[in-house]
Amino acid sequence: MSRNHAAAAEPEGRTQEPRSMRGYLPHYLSRLMNILNLRLLEHLRPLDLTVQQFRIMQMLDARKSASVGEISRDTVIEQSVVSRIVGQLENRGYASRAKRADNARIVDVRLTHEGQKIYGGIPPLSMAIVDDATGVLSTAEKVLLEEFLERIFDHLATPRYPWLDSKR
């Protein structure tokens, strides 16, 4: 296929991938996450939230409470960054910390009532973004995509990265 023919075959508004990037999975995943995050950020900015703050609130909403280490493992955000973001959420009244009743050395984080209220309107917006992005896939393709991504993640989540737990 000639270079001109390849360029002509690209959908309108889409540029041809540089040859060195074709087939490079991190490039595709990074581009996908960046565009999804940009779309999400449009909804988060009016709430003065960042994507990382949203991800932590999302995890806390799902788990009800978790330690900074557990949040780090589940969100794949380094523990020092999670600790800083939890502090930001705590300062805004969206999260609180408390020692675990069964082990006072572990501090759990949970969303406050205000945090739940702020977070509550975001999931429908974030799911609409995902639904729009995956709308070009059949149901079977969506299931396969999720299975493939989970398999790759599980393969990579090894002790080589101390903030990840391979026992997912």
Side-chain angles (χ1 to χ4, degrees):
M1 181 186 288
S2 75
R3 184 180 176 116
N4 289 340
H5 182 68
E10 292 292 329
E12 190 175 323
R14 182 173 165 197
T15 59
Q16 187 176 3
E17 290 292 322
R19 183 176 306 255
S20 64
M21 301 308 266
R22 284 189 216 136
Y24 186 61
L25 184 62
H27 170 69
Y28 293 113
L29 294 176
S30 177
R31 288 180 61 202
L32 179 60
M33 281 307 304
N34 287 342
I35 199 162
L36 289 171
N37 285 342
L38 283 172
R39 290 187 178 177
L40 179 60
L41 202 49
E42 291 174 17
H43 300 288
L44 296 177
R45 276 193 187 116
L47 301 171
D48 196 27
L49 289 174
T50 67
V51 172
Q52 287 185 318
Q53 288 170 334
F54 166 74
R55 300 270 183 248
I56 290 172
M57 291 175 83
Q58 182 181 41
M59 207 243 30
L60 289 173
D61 182 69
R63 290 189 56 164
K64 303 308 174 210
S65 72
S67 69
V68 169
E70 291 166 340
I71 296 168
S72 174
R73 183 193 66 223
D74 290 355
T75 60
V76 194
I77 300 171
E78 287 191 50
Q79 196 162 336
S80 61
V81 176
V82 169
S83 186
R84 181 174 42 85
I85 292 170
V86 166
Q88 292 167 352
L89 293 172
E90 195 173 28
N91 289 340
R92 295 180 65 188
Y94 298 161
S96 64
R97 300 181 210 221
K99 292 181 180 182
R100 280 194 185 162
D102 62 337
N103 187 345
R105 293 176 299 166
I106 299 174
V107 176
D108 273 335
V109 181
R110 67 182 58 229
L111 290 178
T112 62
H113 178 69
E114 185 64 22
Q116 291 170 349
K117 209 164 76 175
I118 291 294
Y119 173 78
I122 303 171
L125 301 171
S126 66
M127 288 310 300
I129 292 167
V130 172
D131 289 345
D132 179 55
T134 59
V136 297
L137 303 175
S138 70
T139 302
E141 289 170 326
K142 290 176 191 178
V143 169
L144 281 174
L145 176 62
E146 187 175 323
E147 288 174 1
F148 290 155
L149 292 173
E150 191 66 33
R151 189 183 323 164
I152 292 168
F153 181 84
D154 287 345
H155 171 70
L156 293 176
T158 65
R160 292 177 294 189
Y161 305 101
W163 62 89
L164 296 179
D165 177 13
S166 62
K167 300 175 188 169
R168 285 182 134 272

